[in-house]
Amino acid sequence: MANARMNNAVAGVEAIIGYTFNDKFLLWEALQAAGSNVSIAGTRTITDGNKRLAVVGDKILELVLAERWYGSGQVRGTWDEVRRRVGCNQNLYAVGVQTGLNAFVNLAGGATVISPKTMTATVEAILAGVWLDGGLQALRPVMQILGLA
């Protein structure tokens, strides 16, 4: 891996989420806030922090929630409630802070406080990283650990 800061952050997040990445650089990318000083993760160029991964994470979170909702046999109206409650930015921010993931985000130069928007994007990016690295089989237990399932 690249350096001690990356090693510590990756190990810390893996301990929190209960998943060990095969591609450590995928998780390192997920921990980059827009404007961070990291522009390369392994062989990937990072152009806007974790924002690209966050887009994927947002959709994969919704997919897993929809899959679970469908399997429950609940009526359509309950889907909207699940999606709003679990997938909303306020909840994702709270998950990031309550689990300690916020301690591992690589913020933009000089920043010391993580914004709700950045924390939300980071949680989504971590979910995307898990999915890209290990598939749905890896993602489901991580979501359970984070209280998102």
Side-chain angles (χ1 to χ4, degrees):
M1 287 202 282
N3 60 43
R5 186 178 72 182
M6 178 182 155
N7 292 342
N8 291 336
V10 166
V13 172
E14 287 178 336
I16 290 169
I17 67 173
Y19 177 74
T20 302
F21 277 78
N22 296 303
D23 181 356
K24 306 291 186 189
F25 290 111
L26 199 51
L27 178 53
W28 184 234
E29 180 180 350
L31 297 175
Q32 303 309 309
S36 80
N37 60 352
V38 174
S39 60
I40 295 176
T43 59
R44 287 182 298 281
T45 300
I46 302 173
T47 57
D48 195 18
N50 59 18
K51 298 279 188 189
R52 289 171 39 87
L53 276 175
V55 169
V56 175
D58 179 66
K59 299 308 173 198
I60 200 67
L61 170 63
E62 194 164 300
L63 171 69
V64 173
L65 291 174
E67 177 186 53
R68 175 163 282 140
W69 167 81
Y70 179 79
S72 75
Q74 294 180 21
V75 297
R76 169 87 168 88
T78 60
W79 162 243
D80 293 331
E81 166 58 22
V82 167
R83 187 176 55 190
R84 275 193 300 268
R85 182 177 41 81
V86 179
C88 73
N89 290 349
Q90 182 179 1
N91 185 55
L92 296 175
Y93 169 74
V95 164
V97 172
Q98 291 167 0
T99 60
L101 291 171
N102 58 315
F104 301 103
V105 179
N106 191 30
L107 298 171
T112 57
V113 176
I114 188 166
S115 71
K117 184 177 178 180
T118 298
M119 188 72 256
T120 296
T122 301
V123 171
E124 290 171 337
I126 291 168
L127 295 176
V130 171
W131 176 69
L132 290 168
D133 192 67
L136 286 174
Q137 312 84 302
L139 181 60
R140 287 184 189 106
V142 168
M143 287 179 60
Q144 190 74 34
I145 288 168
L146 295 177
L148 295 172

